[in-house]
Amino acid sequence: MNQLTYGNINDKVVNSMEPPGRSWMVSMVLILGALSMGIFAWAIQIRHGLEWSGINHPIAWGVYITNFVFWIGIGHAGTLISAVLYLVRAPFRNSIYRASEAMTVFAVMTAGLFPLIHLGRAWFAYWLLPYPNQRELWVNFKSPLLWDVFAISTYMSVSIAFFVLGLIPDLAAVRDESKGVKRLFYSIPALCFRGTNHQWLHYMRGYLLFAAIATPLVFSVHSIVSWDFAMSSLPGWHSTIFAPYFVAGAIFSGCAMVLTIMIPLRRAFPGFKEIIKVKDLEGIAKMIIFTSLIVTYAYAVEFFIAYYSGSQYERALFWFRPFGEMNPYFWVMVACNCIVPLTLFVKKIRTNMAALFIISLLVNVGMWLERFTIIGTSLAHGFAPFTWGSYQFEWAEIWITIGSFGWFFMWFFIFVKIMPSIAIAEMKETLTPPMRK
Amino acid sequence: MKTKFAGAWATFEYLDDTCAAIKELKNAGFDQITTHTPCARHEIDHALGNPQSRVPFATLAGAFVGFGLAVLIITKMALDWILPVSGKPIVSVPIMGPIAFELSVLMAIYFTIGAIFLMILRDTWKHPVPQSRKYKDYDRFMRDRFGIVVACGNDELEKLENIFKKHQAEEVNLES
């Protein structure tokens, strides 16, 4: 194995940006197929209304809000890895943070679609914003839904800014390795960056501040998403543990998605095996174990509080989740989120790429089901027994969900071909610099 | 750039040579120094005397602006369209928390980005670099080479060249 040097990091990353091969093309066709079906299903739903989704009374928040929370959760790991792990100088961060950051941006872009899809009449989405209007009507700042609008839009702005700022030195490196039109293409976003001391000084200080500011943002955004639920007076939702429970769940699912994309990326570009080391992925696996234990504890606490509160509605709901008609979702969720990650305690498993990839997929499934269980079962089993209900998945929402994965992976596949998916400058920082003595 | 560049630039393969050259240049009284590195290196900062950035002031200012903006819009809109909720105050302070936090972060980020660009432009203006094609086309600074650019008078070029050569510069280019 060649030892990494400043020069060959550039070569490996630039090689990954060569024109796509057959496997990329085939994958892209499948991805665009899924996306097209999603768009078609959405178009049908717009034409015929939300009755084409499974949304009903009392479950007025169904698959779309589940998808929204799921994708926002996925978006958490990128900023966690790029900001929080930057501040604590985690050694496994540098090789994976660029792709994780891209994942964050694309996941938040995906999440942002779902409130619009859920609205039905997506063209009225701007009503959520406080804009001056003829009726002198303003939005209700007392609503956590409006806090969410601010939280998500801020998170998206900060994630994009963080991502783009981090890209500048690497785009400059790619520019200097390119010729002709390609060089011109990378010159523009590289913003004349040439690695001068003046550029690095302000850039690095700004980057550190970005990380410091983005760190509380990571925790605030999913806390605010959790308050969409916790501020409601509904069994299973109205709970003070929701903010930390959601944040831990978001990091858990986000880390799983990082593995889901990094393992194939590492396989697709053989040069990356020397950069993305097994111990880097093992670091993420350890974070999955840690957050899985928090999530498991939160599940247990919810049941205990339901019992200890003495509230018959809470007790009824927490009986309904494991033993009611929607119980398969609950048990699969428990298996995927609480039991499967325990296997990562075994070093042989957490250093085996195939096993790690399968576990990451199962965690993704489990975390999607967790959000569906929280939303679906609580709404299905509220305070008034005569409004209890159930949920039937409809084809439109299933295809829109599959289409959302198409949308996410389409951006990611484009990203790996036109942008450096490994942070070149930060990888160089981890190496011993060339020294004469 | 302020004026036509006069001075010299050199490239180095090793970081310790670069740092030693910077230290000697500073001791010799050269203060218009620009360095090139493929990634941020603290060794270069130490050799240059640990310069400080003022970007954090802009970040703090941005956070205050965002906080003020949030309080202002929430208060204005609450008073403009009164929505009574269970006898709670019309202008409620606790509910300002999330929006004030988010807007503080958002503005702090925008101000930080602006400050990074403005301060880089200001420093680039103050420290001229060669305008020659050779310098502009040199494309290994972002790959694996270190560089030092020094602006000085024509009478100091020989002294400068000697310092660069003493520290085993790969390439020395004089521009007058």
Side-chain angles (χ1 to χ4, degrees), chain A residues 200-265:
Chain A
W200 282 123
L201 173 70
H202 301 303
Y203 174 86
M204 291 307 289
R205 181 46 62 101
Y207 197 81
L208 179 70
L209 288 164
F210 254 61
I213 294 168
T215 297
L217 199 64
V218 171
F219 298 102
S220 80
V221 174
H222 225 62
S223 299
I224 291 175
V225 170
S226 80
W227 294 336
D228 288 347
F229 303 97
M231 295 271 174
S232 311
S233 184
L234 197 69
W237 282 9
H238 193 59
S239 164
T240 51
I241 70 158
F242 255 44
Y245 168 28
F246 267 52
V247 170
I251 296 169
F252 180 48
S253 62
C255 288
M257 189 59 110
V258 168
L259 290 181
T260 307
I261 60 171
M262 294 311 293
I263 293 170
L265 191 69

Coordinates of all heavy atoms in Angstrom, one line a residue, chain A residues 200-265:
Chain A
W200 N -5.6 31.5 4.3 CA -5.8 30.4 5.3 C -6.1 31.0 6.7 O -7.0 30.4 7.4 CB -4.5 29.6 5.4 CG -4.3 28.6 4.4 CD1 -3.2 28.5 3.6 CD2 -5.2 27.5 4.0 NE1 -3.4 27.4 2.7 CE2 -4.6 26.8 2.9 CE3 -6.4 27.1 4.4 CZ2 -5.1 25.7 2.3 CZ3 -7.0 26.0 3.8 CH2 -6.4 25.3 2.8
L201 N -5.5 32.2 7.0 CA -5.8 32.7 8.3 C -7.3 33.0 8.6 O -7.8 32.6 9.5 CB -4.9 34.0 8.5 CG -5.2 34.8 9.7 CD1 -4.7 34.1 11.0 CD2 -4.6 36.2 9.6
H202 N -7.8 33.8 7.6 CA -9.2 34.2 7.8 C -10.2 33.0 7.6 O -11.2 32.9 8.2 CB -9.6 35.4 6.9 CG -8.7 36.6 7.2 ND1 -8.6 37.2 8.4 CD2 -7.9 37.3 6.4 CE1 -7.8 38.2 8.4 NE2 -7.3 38.3 7.2
Y203 N -9.8 32.2 6.6 CA -10.6 31.0 6.3 C -10.7 30.1 7.5 O -11.8 29.6 7.8 CB -10.0 30.3 5.1 CG -10.6 29.0 4.7 CD1 -11.7 29.0 3.9 CD2 -10.2 27.8 5.2 CE1 -12.4 27.8 3.5 CE2 -10.8 26.6 4.9 CZ -11.9 26.6 4.0 OH -12.5 25.4 3.7
M204 N -9.6 29.8 8.0 CA -9.6 28.8 9.2 C -10.3 29.3 10.4 O -11.0 28.6 11.1 CB -8.1 28.3 9.5 CG -7.5 27.5 8.5 SD -8.4 26.1 7.9 CE -8.3 25.0 9.4
R205 N -10.1 30.6 10.6 CA -10.8 31.2 11.8 C -12.3 31.2 11.5 O -13.1 30.9 12.4 CB -10.3 32.6 12.0 CG -10.9 33.4 13.2 CD -11.0 32.5 14.4 NE -9.7 32.1 14.9 CZ -9.0 32.6 16.0 NH1 -9.6 33.6 16.6 NH2 -7.9 32.1 16.4
G206 N -12.7 31.6 10.3 CA -14.1 31.6 10.0 C -14.7 30.1 10.1 O -15.8 29.9 10.6
Y207 N -13.9 29.2 9.6 CA -14.3 27.8 9.6 C -14.6 27.3 11.0 O -15.5 26.6 11.3 CB -13.3 26.9 8.9 CG -13.9 25.6 8.5 CD1 -14.6 25.5 7.3 CD2 -13.6 24.4 9.2 CE1 -15.2 24.3 6.9 CE2 -14.2 23.2 8.8 CZ -14.9 23.1 7.7 OH -15.4 21.9 7.3
L208 N -13.6 27.7 11.9 CA -13.8 27.3 13.3 C -15.0 27.9 13.9 O -15.8 27.2 14.6 CB -12.5 27.8 14.1 CG -12.5 27.5 15.6 CD1 -12.3 26.0 15.8 CD2 -11.4 28.2 16.3
L209 N -15.3 29.2 13.6 CA -16.5 29.8 14.1 C -17.8 29.1 13.5 O -18.7 29.0 14.2 CB -16.5 31.3 13.7 CG -15.5 32.1 14.5 CD1 -15.3 33.5 13.8 CD2 -15.9 32.4 15.9
F210 N -17.7 28.8 12.2 CA -18.8 28.1 11.6 C -19.1 26.8 12.4 O -20.3 26.5 12.8 CB -18.4 27.6 10.2 CG -19.1 28.5 9.2 CD1 -18.9 29.8 9.1 CD2 -19.9 27.9 8.2 CE1 -19.5 30.6 8.1 CE2 -20.5 28.6 7.2 CZ -20.3 30.0 7.2
A211 N -18.0 26.1 12.7 CA -18.2 24.8 13.5 C -18.8 25.1 14.9 O -19.7 24.4 15.3 CB -16.9 24.1 13.6
A212 N -18.3 26.1 15.5 CA -18.8 26.5 16.9 C -20.3 26.9 16.8 O -21.0 26.5 17.7 CB -18.0 27.6 17.4
I213 N -20.7 27.6 15.8 CA -22.1 28.0 15.7 C -23.0 26.9 15.2 O -24.1 26.7 15.7 CB -22.2 29.2 14.6 CG1 -21.4 30.4 15.2 CG2 -23.6 29.5 14.4 CD1 -21.2 31.5 14.2
A214 N -22.4 26.0 14.3 CA -23.3 24.9 13.8 C -23.5 23.9 14.9 O -24.5 23.1 14.8 CB -22.6 24.3 12.6
T215 N -22.6 23.8 15.9 CA -22.8 22.7 16.9 C -24.1 22.9 17.7 O -24.9 21.9 17.7 CB -21.6 22.7 17.8 OG1 -20.4 22.4 17.0 CG2 -21.7 21.7 18.9
P216 N -24.4 24.0 18.3 CA -25.7 24.1 18.9 C -26.9 24.0 17.9 O -27.9 23.5 18.3 CB -25.7 25.5 19.6 CG -24.6 26.2 19.0 CD -23.6 25.3 18.5
L217 N -26.6 24.4 16.7 CA -27.7 24.3 15.7 C -28.1 22.8 15.5 O -29.2 22.5 15.3 CB -27.2 24.9 14.4 CG -28.2 25.3 13.4 CD1 -29.1 26.4 13.9 CD2 -27.6 25.7 12.1
V218 N -27.1 21.9 15.5 CA -27.3 20.5 15.3 C -28.4 20.0 16.4 O -29.3 19.3 16.0 CB -26.0 19.7 15.4 CG1 -26.3 18.2 15.5 CG2 -25.1 20.0 14.3
F219 N -28.1 20.5 17.6 CA -29.0 20.0 18.7 C -30.3 20.8 18.7 O -31.4 20.2 19.0 CB -28.3 20.2 20.0 CG -27.0 19.3 20.1 CD1 -25.8 19.9 19.9 CD2 -27.1 18.0 20.3 CE1 -24.6 19.1 19.9 CE2 -26.0 17.2 20.3 CZ -24.7 17.7 20.1
S220 N -30.3 22.0 18.2 CA -31.5 22.8 18.3 C -32.5 22.4 17.2 O -33.7 22.3 17.5 CB -31.2 24.3 18.1 OG -31.1 24.7 16.8
V221 N -32.0 22.0 16.0 CA -33.0 21.8 14.9 C -33.9 20.6 15.2 O -35.1 20.7 15.1 CB -32.2 21.6 13.6 CG1 -33.2 21.2 12.5 CG2 -31.5 22.9 13.2
H222 N -33.2 19.5 15.6 CA -34.1 18.3 15.9 C -34.9 18.5 17.2 O -35.9 17.9 17.3 CB -33.3 17.0 15.8 CG -34.0 16.0 15.0 ND1 -34.3 16.1 13.7 CD2 -34.5 14.8 15.4 CE1 -34.9 15.1 13.3 NE2 -35.1 14.2 14.3
S223 N -34.4 19.3 18.1 CA -35.2 19.6 19.3 C -36.5 20.3 18.8 O -37.6 20.0 19.3 CB -34.4 20.5 20.2 OG -33.3 19.9 20.7
I224 N -36.3 21.3 17.9 CA -37.5 22.0 17.5 C -38.4 21.1 16.7 O -39.7 21.2 16.9 CB -37.1 23.3 16.7 CG1 -36.4 24.3 17.7 CG2 -38.2 23.9 16.0 CD1 -35.8 25.5 17.0
V225 N -37.9 20.2 15.9 CA -38.7 19.3 15.2 C -39.5 18.4 16.2 O -40.7 18.2 16.0 CB -37.9 18.3 14.2 CG1 -38.7 17.2 13.7 CG2 -37.3 19.1 13.1
S226 N -38.8 18.0 17.3 CA -39.5 17.2 18.3 C -40.6 18.0 19.0 O -41.6 17.4 19.4 CB -38.5 16.7 19.3 OG -38.2 17.7 20.3
W227 N -40.4 19.3 19.1 CA -41.5 20.1 19.7 C -42.7 20.2 18.9 O -43.8 20.5 19.4 CB -41.0 21.5 20.1 CG -39.9 21.4 21.1 CD1 -39.7 20.5 22.1 CD2 -38.9 22.4 21.4 NE1 -38.6 20.7 22.8 CE2 -38.1 21.9 22.5 CE3 -38.5 23.6 20.8 CZ2 -37.0 22.6 22.9 CZ3 -37.4 24.3 21.3 CH2 -36.7 23.8 22.4
D228 N -42.6 20.0 17.6 CA -43.8 19.9 16.7 C -44.8 18.8 17.3 O -46.0 19.0 17.2 CB -43.5 19.4 15.3 CG -42.7 20.4 14.5 OD1 -42.7 21.6 14.9 OD2 -42.2 20.1 13.4
F229 N -44.2 17.8 17.9 CA -45.0 16.8 18.5 C -45.2 17.0 20.0 O -46.3 17.0 20.5 CB -44.3 15.4 18.4 CG -44.0 15.1 17.0 CD1 -42.7 15.3 16.4 CD2 -45.0 14.5 16.2 CE1 -42.5 15.0 15.1 CE2 -44.7 14.2 14.8 CZ -43.5 14.5 14.3
A230 N -44.1 17.4 20.7 CA -44.2 17.4 22.2 C -45.0 18.6 22.7 O -45.6 18.5 23.8 CB -42.8 17.6 22.8
M231 N -45.2 19.6 21.9 CA -46.1 20.7 22.3 C -47.6 20.4 22.2 O -48.4 21.1 22.7 CB -45.8 22.0 21.5 CG -44.4 22.5 21.7 SD -44.3 23.7 23.1 CE -42.5 23.9 23.1
S232 N -47.9 19.3 21.5 CA -49.3 18.9 21.4 C -49.7 18.1 22.6 O -48.9 17.4 23.1 CB -49.5 18.0 20.1 OG -48.9 18.6 19.0
S233 N -51.0 18.2 22.9 CA -51.5 17.4 24.0 C -52.0 16.1 23.5 O -53.2 16.0 23.2 CB -52.6 18.2 24.7 OG -53.0 17.5 25.9
L234 N -51.1 15.2 23.3 CA -51.5 13.9 22.7 C -50.7 12.8 23.4 O -49.5 12.9 23.6 CB -51.2 13.9 21.2 CG -51.9 12.8 20.4 CD1 -53.4 13.1 20.3 CD2 -51.4 12.8 19.0
P235 N -51.4 11.7 23.8 CA -50.6 10.6 24.4 C -49.5 10.1 23.5 O -49.6 10.0 22.3 CB -51.6 9.5 24.6 CG -52.9 10.1 24.5 CD -52.8 11.3 23.6
G236 N -48.3 9.9 24.1 CA -47.2 9.5 23.3 C -46.3 10.6 22.7 O -45.2 10.4 22.3
W237 N -46.9 11.8 22.7 CA -46.2 13.0 22.1 C -45.8 14.0 23.2 O -44.7 14.5 23.2 CB -47.1 13.7 21.1 CG -47.2 13.1 19.8 CD1 -46.7 11.8 19.4 CD2 -47.7 13.6 18.6 NE1 -47.0 11.6 18.1 CE2 -47.6 12.6 17.6 CE3 -48.4 14.8 18.3 CZ2 -48.1 12.9 16.3 CZ3 -48.8 15.0 17.0 CH2 -48.7 14.1 16.0
H238 N -46.7 14.2 24.1 CA -46.5 15.3 25.1 C -45.5 14.9 26.2 O -45.9 14.5 27.3 CB -47.9 15.7 25.7 CG -47.9 17.0 26.4 ND1 -47.5 18.2 25.8 CD2 -48.2 17.3 27.7 CE1 -47.6 19.1 26.7 NE2 -48.0 18.6 27.9
S239 N -44.2 15.0 25.8 CA -43.3 14.4 26.7 C -42.0 15.3 26.7 O -41.6 15.8 25.7 CB -42.9 13.0 26.3 OG -41.7 12.6 26.9
T240 N -41.4 15.5 27.9 CA -40.2 16.3 28.0 C -39.0 15.7 27.4 O -37.9 16.3 27.2 CB -40.0 16.8 29.4 OG1 -40.0 15.6 30.2 CG2 -41.0 17.8 29.9
I241 N -39.0 14.3 27.3 CA -37.8 13.7 26.8 C -37.7 13.8 25.3 O -36.7 13.3 24.7 CB -37.7 12.2 27.2 CG1 -38.7 11.3 26.5 CG2 -37.7 12.0 28.7 CD1 -38.3 9.9 26.4
F242 N -38.7 14.4 24.6 CA -38.6 14.3 23.1 C -37.4 14.9 22.5 O -36.9 14.4 21.5 CB -39.9 14.9 22.6 CG -40.9 13.8 22.1 CD1 -41.1 12.7 22.9 CD2 -41.5 14.0 20.9 CE1 -42.0 11.7 22.4 CE2 -42.4 13.0 20.4 CZ -42.6 11.9 21.2
A243 N -37.0 16.1 23.1 CA -35.9 16.8 22.4 C -34.6 15.9 22.4 O -34.1 15.6 21.3 CB -35.6 18.1 23.0
P244 N -34.1 15.5 23.6 CA -32.9 14.6 23.5 C -33.1 13.3 22.8 O -32.2 12.8 22.1 CB -32.5 14.4 25.0 CG -33.8 14.8 25.8 CD -34.5 15.8 24.9
Y245 N -34.3 12.8 22.9 CA -34.7 11.5 22.3 C -34.6 11.7 20.8 O -34.0 10.8 20.1 CB -36.1 11.2 22.8 CG -36.9 10.1 22.1 CD1 -36.2 9.0 21.5 CD2 -38.2 10.1 22.2 CE1 -37.0 8.0 20.9 CE2 -39.0 9.1 21.6 CZ -38.4 8.1 20.9 OH -39.2 7.1 20.4
F246 N -35.1 12.8 20.2 CA -35.1 13.0 18.8 C -33.6 13.3 18.3 O -33.2 12.9 17.2 CB -36.0 14.2 18.4 CG -37.4 13.7 18.0 CD1 -38.1 12.9 18.8 CD2 -38.0 14.1 16.8 CE1 -39.4 12.4 18.4 CE2 -39.2 13.7 16.4 CZ -39.9 12.9 17.2
V247 N -32.9 14.1 19.1 CA -31.5 14.4 18.7 C -30.7 13.1 18.6 O -30.0 12.9 17.7 CB -30.9 15.4 19.7 CG1 -29.4 15.6 19.4 CG2 -31.6 16.8 19.5
A248 N -30.8 12.3 19.7 CA -30.0 11.0 19.6 C -30.5 10.1 18.5 O -29.6 9.6 17.8 CB -30.3 10.3 21.0
G249 N -31.8 10.1 18.2 CA -32.3 9.3 17.1 C -31.8 9.8 15.8 O -31.4 9.1 14.9
A250 N -31.7 11.2 15.7 CA -31.2 11.8 14.4 C -29.8 11.4 14.2 O -29.4 11.1 13.1 CB -31.4 13.3 14.5
I251 N -29.0 11.5 15.2 CA -27.5 11.2 15.1 C -27.4 9.7 14.7 O -26.6 9.4 13.9 CB -26.8 11.6 16.3 CG1 -26.8 13.1 16.5 CG2 -25.3 11.2 16.3 CD1 -26.4 13.6 17.9
F252 N -28.2 8.9 15.4 CA -28.2 7.5 15.1 C -28.5 7.2 13.7 O -27.7 6.5 13.0 CB -29.3 6.9 16.1 CG -29.4 5.4 16.0 CD1 -28.3 4.5 16.0 CD2 -30.7 4.8 15.9 CE1 -28.5 3.2 16.0 CE2 -30.9 3.5 15.9 CZ -29.8 2.6 15.9
S253 N -29.6 7.7 13.2 CA -29.9 7.4 11.8 C -29.0 8.1 10.8 O -28.6 7.5 9.8 CB -31.4 7.8 11.5 OG -31.5 9.2 11.6
G254 N -28.5 9.3 11.1 CA -27.6 10.0 10.3 C -26.3 9.2 10.1 O -25.7 9.1 9.0
C255 N -25.8 8.7 11.2 CA -24.5 7.9 11.2 C -24.7 6.6 10.4 O -23.8 6.2 9.6 CB -24.0 7.5 12.6 SG -23.4 9.0 13.5
A256 N -25.9 6.0 10.5 CA -26.2 4.8 9.7 C -26.2 5.2 8.2 O -25.6 4.4 7.4 CB -27.5 4.2 10.1
M257 N -26.7 6.3 7.9 CA -26.8 6.7 6.5 C -25.3 7.0 6.0 O -25.0 6.8 4.8 CB -27.7 7.9 6.3 CG -27.9 8.2 4.8 SD -28.7 6.8 3.9 CE -30.3 7.4 3.6
V258 N -24.5 7.6 6.9 CA -23.1 7.8 6.5 C -22.4 6.5 6.1 O -21.8 6.5 5.0 CB -22.3 8.5 7.7 CG1 -20.8 8.5 7.4 CG2 -22.8 9.9 7.9
L259 N -22.7 5.5 6.8 CA -22.1 4.2 6.5 C -22.7 3.7 5.2 O -22.0 3.1 4.3 CB -22.3 3.2 7.6 CG -21.5 3.4 8.9 CD1 -21.9 2.3 9.9 CD2 -20.0 3.4 8.6
T260 N -24.0 3.9 5.0 CA -24.7 3.4 3.8 C -24.1 4.0 2.6 O -24.0 3.4 1.5 CB -26.2 3.7 3.9 OG1 -26.7 3.2 5.1 CG2 -27.0 3.1 2.7
I261 N -23.7 5.3 2.7 CA -23.1 5.9 1.4 C -21.6 5.8 1.4 O -21.0 5.7 0.3 CB -23.5 7.4 1.3 CG1 -23.1 8.2 2.5 CG2 -25.0 7.5 1.0 CD1 -23.3 9.7 2.2
M262 N -20.9 5.7 2.5 CA -19.4 5.7 2.5 C -18.9 4.3 2.1 O -17.8 4.2 1.4 CB -18.8 6.1 3.9 CG -19.0 7.5 4.3 SD -18.7 8.8 3.1 CE -16.9 8.6 3.0
I263 N -19.6 3.3 2.5 CA -19.0 1.9 2.2 C -19.0 1.7 0.7 O -18.0 1.3 0.1 CB -19.8 0.8 3.0 CG1 -19.4 1.0 4.5 CG2 -19.4 -0.6 2.6 CD1 -20.2 0.2 5.5
P264 N -20.2 2.0 0.0 CA -20.1 1.8 -1.5 C -19.1 2.8 -2.1 O -18.5 2.4 -3.1 CB -21.5 2.1 -1.9 CG -22.4 1.9 -0.7 CD -21.5 2.2 0.4
L265 N -19.0 4.0 -1.6 CA -18.1 5.0 -2.2 C -16.7 4.5 -2.1 O -15.9 4.6 -3.0 CB -18.3 6.3 -1.4 CG -17.6 7.6 -2.0 CD1 -18.3 8.0 -3.2 CD2 -17.6 8.7 -1.0

